Amino acid sequence: MTTPGARASRPDLGGYFPLGPWRVHRAGYGAMQLAGDGFFGPATRDGAEAVRVLQAAVAAGVDHIDTAQYYGPGTVNQLIREALHPYPASLAIVSKVAARRDTDGALVPFDDPHELRQDIEDNLTTLDIDRLAAVNLRIADPAAPAGRRFDAQIAALVQARDEGLIGGVGISNVSREHLVRARAQTEIVCVQNLFNLADQSARDVLAECEAHGIAFVPYCPLGLAGDQRRRLLTEPVLTATAARLGATPVQAALAWLLDLASNILLIPGTRTRGHLAENLAAADVRLDDTARTELTRHFRP
C-alpha cells in the first residue's frame, strides 16, 4: 500500500486518459507562457531555453502539448516546431481557435466559420504538421446563449475533422449549455475551462464531461496569474497539506486536480525546466483522506 504523500516507484505522469483517438498521459504541458509578456510578441527570455523546456517535456514523457496560433501570434507554434519537429508519433498537439491579436496585443474575436478554418490552417502551417490532435473552439463569453452561430462554428470544426485536418473537436471557456448543445451535434473529445482550487465554478461542466468520458482540461490550474495565484499558493491550508505530503504547494494544487476526477488532463505552463520538473512531479503526489477533507472544506465550489 502506498503511504500518504509517497512517490510512486515509477512515475507515469498520472496515468492515461483518452483524448479523442489519442491516449495521453494525464500530465501534459501548456505552451502559452513561451510567448512574450501578456502572451504577445516574441519570447522575452532566452528563446533557446524555451526550446529546451519543450524538449525536456517530451523527454520526460509528456505527449500532450497545448498551444494556439494567437500565442505570439505564431511565436509559440514556431518554438514548438523548432524544438520538436519532426514530431514523435505519440505526441498530441492541441490548439484552439476563434481569437486573434490586434496590433496592440489585445485579444479580438476571429470566429466566423471561414475564420475558424483559416485559423486551423494557420496552425498547421506554423507548426508544419498535417493534422492537429484536436482543436478547441474558444467561446469569448461563456454566459452567452448557445445558438445558431455556435452551431455554425461547431460545424466548421466538424468539417475540418472530416477532412482530416484535426483529429477531434473540442470547446473552451464554455457553459454546460454549450457542451450539451455541442454534444447533440457531434462527438466532443475535450473541454478546456478555467478550473482550480480557487475557482471551481465549472463544476457542472466537469461533471458533464465525466459522465460522458470527455477529457476535461483546466486552464490556469494554479489560479489566474497575479494576485489569485499568489493567494492560492500561500494559503496556509494548502501549504500545510503540501508540507505534510512532502510536496510543494504547486504540486499539491495540481495533485488535487488529478485526484478529483480521472478525466482531468493537466496542462500547466512554465518557461523554465525547473518549474517543468516540479509540475510533472505533481503526478506522483498521492493525496490521503485527510488532505482531501481539508482541501475540500477550505476551498468550496
Side-chain angles (χ1 to χ4, degrees):
M1 179 180 294
T2 303
T3 57
R7 305 290 179 177
S9 59
R10 182 178 182 275
D12 64 356
L13 298 185
Y16 293 88
F17 193 82
L19 181 62
W22 299 76
R23 185 170 177 265
V24 299
H25 284 107
R26 294 182 64 210
Y29 175 71
M32 180 173 66
Q33 292 189 30
L34 298 182
D37 291 337
F39 319 121
F40 179 66
T44 55
R45 303 186 184 186
D46 184 1
E49 176 63 10
V51 168
R52 288 190 285 265
V53 168
L54 287 159
Q55 292 171 339
V58 171
V62 167
D63 51 12
H64 171 205
I65 291 179
D66 180 80
T67 186
Q69 178 66 18
Y70 66 82
Y71 296 164
T75 298
V76 170
N77 282 352
Q78 290 164 3
L79 287 168
I80 292 172
R81 182 181 64 191
E82 179 182 349
L84 303 174
H85 193 277
Y87 303 109
S90 60
L91 181 62
I93 300 179
V94 176
S95 190
K96 64 184 66 64
V97 295
R100 283 215 164 175
R101 299 284 186 183
D102 64 17
T103 55
D104 296 321
L107 207 59
V108 296
F110 193 70
D111 57 2
D112 286 339
H114 72 279
E115 293 172 330
L116 300 176
R117 174 59 176 246
Q118 181 180 337
D119 208 348
I120 291 170
E121 293 178 353
D122 288 348
N123 273 278
L124 294 171
T125 298
T126 311
L127 288 163
D128 192 12
I129 196 172
D130 295 328
R131 188 186 195 204
L132 290 156
V135 165
N136 289 300
L137 169 66
R138 179 188 180 276
I139 301 302
D141 180 8
R148 292 183 178 178
R149 178 172 174 78
F150 177 70
D151 296 344
Q153 293 168 327
I154 292 292
L157 267 63
V158 169
Q159 181 179 349
R161 182 196 62 199
D162 292 347
E163 293 178 13
L165 301 182
I166 67 177
V169 175
I171 50 180
S172 176
N173 201 37
V174 295
S175 66
R176 181 180 177 275
E177 177 193 359
H178 287 106
L179 176 54
V180 170
R181 187 170 181 120
R183 284 193 62 250
Q185 300 172 59
T186 191
E187 179 188 14
I188 299 299
V189 303
C190 55
V191 174
Q192 190 177 116
N193 267 29
L194 176 67
F195 193 85
N196 53 67
L197 268 170
D199 188 339
Q200 301 176 42
S201 55
R203 276 270 190 172
D204 58 340
V205 180
L206 169 60
E208 186 74 14
C209 288
E210 191 173 14
H212 297 285
I214 299 169
F216 183 86
V217 187
Y219 68 79
C220 296
L222 299 173
L224 293 169
D227 288 342
Q228 186 189 81
R229 185 172 300 173
R230 283 191 292 271
R231 286 196 301 270
L232 173 61
L233 296 180
T234 57
E235 176 62 45
V237 170
L238 179 62
T239 57
T241 297
R244 186 176 61 79
L245 296 176
T248 67
V250 164
Q251 290 169 339
L254 295 176
W256 175 82
L257 286 165
L258 288 172
D259 185 76
L260 184 64
S262 62
N263 64 319
I264 288 180
L265 301 180
L266 295 184
I267 51 166
T270 178
R271 293 174 174 175
T272 71
R273 285 171 286 171
H275 285 155
L276 171 69
E278 179 184 15
N279 292 342
L280 295 181
D284 303 324
V285 176
R286 302 291 179 254
L287 268 62
D288 57 14
D289 289 341
T290 300
R292 294 187 190 98
T293 299
E294 289 297 313
L295 294 176
T296 300
R297 179 185 297 139
H298 188 76
F299 297 99
R300 296 185 179 276

